[in-house]
Amino acid sequence: MNSAPPVEFETVVMKFGGTSVADAEGIKRAAGRIVQAAEAGSRVVAVLSARGKTTDDLMAMAHEVSLRPHPREMDMLLSTGERISCALAAMVINDLGHEAISLTGSQAGIVTDTSHTKARILDVRADRIRSALDGGKIVLVAGFQGVSTTADVTTLGRGGSDTTAVALAAALAADVCEIYTDVAGVFSADPRIVPDARMLAVVSFEEMLEMSASGAGVLQLRAVEYARNNGIPIHCRSSFDDGPGTFVVDEHTTMERPLVTAVTHSIDEARVTLTGLPDRPGIAGRVLTVLAAAMVNVDMIIQNEPQSEDHRADMSVTVPRADLLAATEALTPLKAELGVGEIATDEAMGKVSLVGAGMRSHPGVAAKALTVLGDAGVNIEMISTSPIKISCVIREEHVKDAVRELHTAFGLGKGAVRHEDVAGDHRPIIEPEGGDEPGEEDDPGEAP
Ligand code: ASP
Ligand code: MG
C-alpha cells in the first residue's frame, strides 16, 4: 500500500474503533499507523476500542447468568474488552522496535463519577501518560473506561472510547484527535440507506452535535460535546485507507454554511404517553425529574392542553428504546401520586432529522421538509426543532423512505449541485508543528 506520510503533529491522539482492531491483521494495521505517526515525530497516544463484537458478547455473557447484572460488576466485565486490544497492540508495537506501554483507563488517570455503565469523566490526571511520552514511549489507553471517585472501575456508555480519546486530547493539549473507523468519514446520510450519500469534508461542532444526538453513529455524542467545549478538532477517517476523512471543527473555521448538511435517523425510539395528568404547575417538572432520576434520557416532550372540562392533560415523551422499561418503572408510582390515568407505550418509533447550520438564517426548511414527508405518505407523530435541526418522530417502518426522500429533496447527493458550497479546498486549518501547509501532507496522492 502506497500510503502518504502523515502530517507531523507535536501530540496526536489516535483512536481505533472495534471493527478496525477486530482481528490480528487489524491490530497490526492500527499498530502500523501508530508507529508511522511516532516515526514522523509526534508524541502518540492511541485509544483502542474492544475488538469487533467483544462488548456485545460480554454483555450477552452477563445476561446469560443474571437477569439484571449488577452495574458495578458489569463495568468490571466490559472494561476487559478494551484492555485486550491495547495489550495486543502494545505487543505488536514493541515487536516493531518501538517502546509501547498499555494502560487501563484507571492507570491513565481517567477519573469519573460513580454512575456505572454511563459514567461521566470528571478529571483526567494524565501525569503517567505524560511521563511515558517524555520517556519516548507510545502510550496505548484502553478506551471507554475510567475509575470512579470511589475507586471502582466504570465505563462511559456505548461508543465511549471516542470520549476517552477526546478527553485525553484535551488533557494533553493534542493538536488533533484522530478517530479511525470503518467508514470513510461523516456522510450526508447513512450510505447503507442512501447509496448516493456524500462524504462531508468539514462539519462544525454544532452540526455534529445535532447529528450525533439524532442518530449518526459515527461519533459518540459526549465525545463531540467534549471536543466542542475544549476546542479539540476531530479528524474522522478510515483506518483501512488514506482517504481525506471529515474534520469536525469550530464553526468559524468551516467555510460553508449549507442550508442542510445531513439527514440523520434513528430507529431506537420509544414513546411513553401519560394521559389524564392534572393540569397544574409543577407536574411536567415532576415527570421529568422522575425520569432523570432513573437516568433515562428524554428526547422529545409534547404536552397537550386539556381539551375538556376535567382539566386533565396528556404528555408524551420519547426515550431510547433500551430505556423504555426503566422509564415505565420509574413513572408507574406517579399514577397513585398524581392521579395519572394511563401510561401507554409504543416501541416501534423512529426519527428522521435534518441538520444544517444554514437553517439558522433561512426560513422555510421546516415547511419543505414536512411537505416532502407528507407527499411521501409519511405521518409525522411529533416534531421538534433547534436553530439548526428539525426532527420528526415517525413510525419506524417509514424511516428509510423518509431519509431517502429528504436527502433527494434537499439535493444532498453526490451528483447534486450544491449552491452553498464555496469553491476550493474546504479543509480547515489545524496548525501542525513547524507550520507546514495544512492538509497537504496527509492528502492521498492516489488511491492505494
Ligand atoms: N467497546 C465499547 C462499545 O462497543 C466502547 C467503544 O467501542 O467505544 O460501546
Ligand atoms: Mg465501538
Side-chain angles (χ1 to χ4, degrees):
M1 188 164 103
N2 173 21
S3 59
V7 179
E8 182 186 328
F9 294 115
E10 186 181 326
T11 304
V12 62
V13 174
M14 306 169 79
K15 181 259 172 179
F16 292 85
T19 315
S20 304
V21 293
D23 51 15
E25 196 197 324
I27 296 265
K28 288 181 184 168
R29 189 188 307 111
R33 285 221 181 232
I34 293 165
V35 162
Q36 207 182 14
E39 287 178 351
S42 300
R43 287 152 69 91
V44 184
V45 175
V47 173
L48 270 49
S49 284
R51 309 176 78 192
K53 295 258 160 285
T54 302
T55 306
D56 292 333
D57 294 345
L58 291 170
M59 286 177 84
M61 245 181 243
H63 288 288
E64 264 169 32
V65 297
S66 170
L67 218 52
R68 276 169 196 269
H70 192 289
R72 181 192 181 279
E73 303 311 326
M74 197 63 168
D75 279 350
M76 272 305 268
L77 180 69
L78 295 185
S79 66
T80 60
E82 273 64 16
R83 300 180 185 202
I84 294 172
S85 304
C86 285
L88 291 172
M91 291 173 193
V92 178
I93 294 171
N94 283 319
D95 288 351
L96 290 172
H98 285 258
E99 267 195 278
I101 177 174
S102 67
L103 301 173
T104 67
S106 169
Q107 289 173 321
I110 312 263
V111 180
T112 73
D113 64 15
T114 55
S115 46
H116 284 289
T117 75
K118 31 180 131 174
R120 282 191 169 267
I121 296 176
L122 299 177
D123 195 10
V124 180
R125 301 179 189 156
D127 313 316
R128 182 157 181 194
I129 297 181
R130 254 182 235 111
S131 54
L133 291 173
D134 290 344
K137 293 195 172 75
I138 291 170
V139 181
L140 295 137
V141 177
F144 170 60
Q145 59 188 273
V147 61
S148 75
T149 45
T150 53
D152 286 312
V153 173
T154 50
T155 63
L156 307 178
R158 298 308 304 266
S161 300
D162 288 352
T163 303
T164 304
V166 174
L168 289 175
L172 298 165
D175 302 86
V176 63
C177 181
E178 297 187 322
I179 305 272
Y180 288 88
T181 178
D182 55 352
V183 291
V186 180
F187 283 79
S188 58
D190 186 338
R192 287 167 299 188
I193 294 181
V194 185
D196 185 36
R198 166 179 171 274
M199 194 178 77
L200 305 165
V202 183
V203 181
S204 68
F205 287 131
E206 282 66 27
E207 288 176 314
M208 198 63 231
L209 274 175
E210 296 282 16
M211 289 171 68
S212 290
S214 59
V218 59
L219 293 172
Q220 200 210 26
L221 175 61
R222 275 192 193 175
V224 183
E225 258 168 10
Y226 210 107
R228 193 236 353 227
N229 294 345
N230 293 278
I232 299 295
I234 295 178
H235 185 188
C236 177
R237 55 193 306 194
S238 168
S239 62
F240 298 90
D241 60 48
D242 283 313
T246 301
F247 283 94
V248 185
V249 294
D250 221 54
E251 194 168 290
H252 68 77
T253 324
T254 69
M255 284 185 273
E256 50 179 312
R257 297 278 187 285
L259 201 54
V260 175
T261 298
V263 183
T264 55
H265 73 280
S266 123
I267 50 166
D268 300 321
E269 312 277 324
R271 182 172 54 187
V272 183
T273 303
L274 305 171
T275 54
L277 281 172
D279 184 35
R280 38 166 220 270
I283 298 296
R286 179 80 189 114
V287 171
L288 272 297
T289 303
V290 161
L291 290 171
M295 300 296 283
V296 174
N297 252 323
V298 172
D299 182 14
M300 284 195 207
I301 305 168
I302 288 193
Q303 188 175 305
N304 296 326
E305 279 303 298
Q307 301 297 322
S308 54
E309 298 287 280
D310 64 357
H311 296 289
R312 295 263 155 187
D314 295 345
M315 185 170 178
S316 292
V317 297
T318 56
V319 300
R321 197 171 297 159
D323 288 350
L324 183 58
L325 183 65
T328 46
E329 279 180 2
L331 291 171
T332 302
L334 290 186
K335 277 191 170 184
E337 182 191 321
L338 304 176
V340 176
E342 280 310 316
I343 299 177
T345 59
D346 192 331
E347 292 204 0
M349 306 307 291
K351 186 170 71 173
V352 58
S353 307
L354 285 175
V355 176
M359 266 183 226
R360 241 187 231 120
S361 44
H362 289 77
V365 177
K368 178 168 171 180
L370 301 185
T371 305
V372 167
L373 292 178
D375 290 347
V378 175
N379 190 43
I380 299 162
E381 316 249 350
M382 297 163 97
I383 303 169
S384 78
T385 63
S386 86
I388 62 166
K389 184 199 69 176
I390 298 159
S391 292
C392 297
V393 170
I394 59 180
R395 309 254 1 131
E396 183 188 334
E397 74 248 33
H398 291 144
V399 165
K400 285 186 183 170
D401 282 342
V403 172
R404 288 189 199 108
E405 294 289 341
L406 290 169
H407 196 266
T408 306
F410 283 92
L412 301 183
K414 279 184 219 144
V417 180
R418 289 165 50 88
H419 298 291
E420 302 87 8
D421 276 3
V422 293
D425 186 3
H426 297 163
R427 305 187 70 184
I429 296 165
I430 298 172
E431 281 294 340
E433 185 64 2
D436 295 340
E437 195 57 32
E440 291 271 277
E441 285 194 62
D442 67 345
D443 241 19
E446 58 199 324

